[in-house]
Amino acid sequence: MSGVTNGSVQFSPMKFLYGLYDKYFDKRKKQQKPFKRKWISGTKLEPEDLLENRPYYKYRPREEDDILRNLLLEEKSVLVKGVALAGKTRTVFEVLKSMGSLADVTIPHPDDIDSGDYPFADNYGMNIEVVILDDLDRFVEKSNFEKLLEIIRAKNFIIVATCQTGERFELLDKKLDIETVFAKNIIDIGHFSTDEAQRIAERENITWEDIDFDGTIGSVFLKLHEMQRRYNALIEREQEILRIIKKLHIAGIYEGKHIFAYDWVETVYSKDHPDTGLDWEQVLGPLKSSELVSAPEEKKIHVEEVYLEKIVKLSETTSKLSILKEMSDTFSLNHAVLTGIGDTASSNSLIRIQKAEYAKAAIKAYGEALKLRTLEEFPLDHAKIRKSLGMVYRNLAAVEERKNNLEKAIKAYEEALKVYTLEEFLMDHAMTWNNMGLAYADLAGIEERHKNLETAMKAYEEALKVTTLKEFPIQYAMTRKNLGMAYSSMADLEETKVNLEKATKAYGEALEIFESLKLLHHAKIVDNYLAAIFRELRQED
């Protein structure tokens, strides 16, 4: 087994030059693609900022609006959830717009966080500073989301997020400690009655027979019944394009609000039709006329998510897992797409019955991406993929080959630390060490308990060199809690009283921070740990 790395790498002139180029290119990419909006006043919010191509209808205020507005005035982060088309994003838009100059807003997209560094502007004004994370479940699938979240917390920004109920919320619950971020501030957008929906349709001159009403405001305006008829009227080739786009969507291969690049569609199409090119001029006209798609940017196509989910049909035998595997093979020469597929498969391994199969699909995609992004040529991309590999191997270890997969996770983290040095990548360095500590703590439950617990403690201490109380209090407290657990486990092996006292100190620091930040769920857990230790110490005395 590998043991703890020292986080350094032997100097190589060629690698040094590649590293400088990688950093330069990454910086240029961030400059060219900043967050869509940075700190604009709520008064200047426009519908396209959040709603983009969605229908913009006359808004009907709801009681949820007042709840959201009051929570924001109390400077509390909020999660707005509901079924598809419930009007979650519209509610957020209307509330922030109504708050006017009281709130300043920035709107990142999931694609923005792939860069690994985030152009948040510090806002020193008197306004409430809000970061909108629309479709939060898409953000948490990104491998750098944890780092983004820590930066938002460190700057004391308010988060307003949206998420669909059902499987999307289940994924969110697995990937994110929801209570830590939002406490109890979760607003569930309710349904409309049929009578109310009919009144809205009449007011907006929408024929009720064209509506496939499902209890949501969005179903009134998107006219799903009519759109299904238009889909059925398309010829086979045009329907095939939409089926390809649906596969891309399932695999997480899209930008922002469901925008798909032409070349992605062409790559999948050419695999099934190697001797036939795709003539966009011929297919795009009928697709746009059907209003199922739009072309908001050059060589990119937009499709409403609800159309892909409810109208475009795949074969009944086509599973999400098979689509991920198919896309991984199809895009075997595209490292960015492969990484995205790996992230999607890794996330699904947390909520699907076929946990191991999804984890292995993620490992395969990440492995192919690593072939294209070597340590020597692309150190930042390489390290990011290695960190993601470590996480998925640790998840896989929970269901099979525990020792083998934990060792693979540790090896992946060691490789990432060759790039994520203390001097250059403080947060990535700390987070990777903390994950390394968790993997060694897991391994201690299988073999060499004393040795692996010691190594886990050293890893947590390395993380704490960076994760300072002042800059990142939540991450600091979490690592202190992990350290306390390691000392508590070590107390079963030796120097019981000494190690229990060390555990008490670590837990005590974590508890103080959790209580000060009003993270009562975590505070209660740590308090229970402390109570158990105090009982054991009394028995020792």
Side-chain angles (χ1 to χ4, degrees), residues 273-293:
H273 306 278
D275 300 322
T276 306
L278 184 56
D279 189 335
W280 280 104
E281 289 188 6
Q282 288 187 359
V283 299
L284 195 57
L287 287 173
K288 289 173 67 176
S289 296
S290 72
E291 297 185 339
L292 286 162
V293 311

Side-chain angles (χ1 to χ4, degrees), residues 108-110 113-114 116 118 131 133 135-153 159 161 172 175-177 181-182 343 384 387-388 391 427-428 431:
H109 282 172
I113 75 172
D114 277 336
Y118 313 108
V131 177
L133 301 180
D135 293 331
L136 181 57
D137 53 290
R138 280 218 64 212
F139 281 88
V140 301
E141 284 189 333
K142 298 293 184 178
S143 55
N144 273 334
F145 175 72
E146 186 180 14
K147 182 177 175 183
L148 171 73
L149 190 60
E150 278 302 309
I151 292 174
I152 293 174
R153 287 168 169 171
I159 297 173
L172 187 64
K175 296 278 285 187
L176 178 69
D177 190 338
V181 181
F182 302 105
D343 292 343
K384 175 186 166 187
K387 185 173 71 171
S388 299
M391 295 173 71
M427 192 178 296
D428 292 301
M431 289 179 174

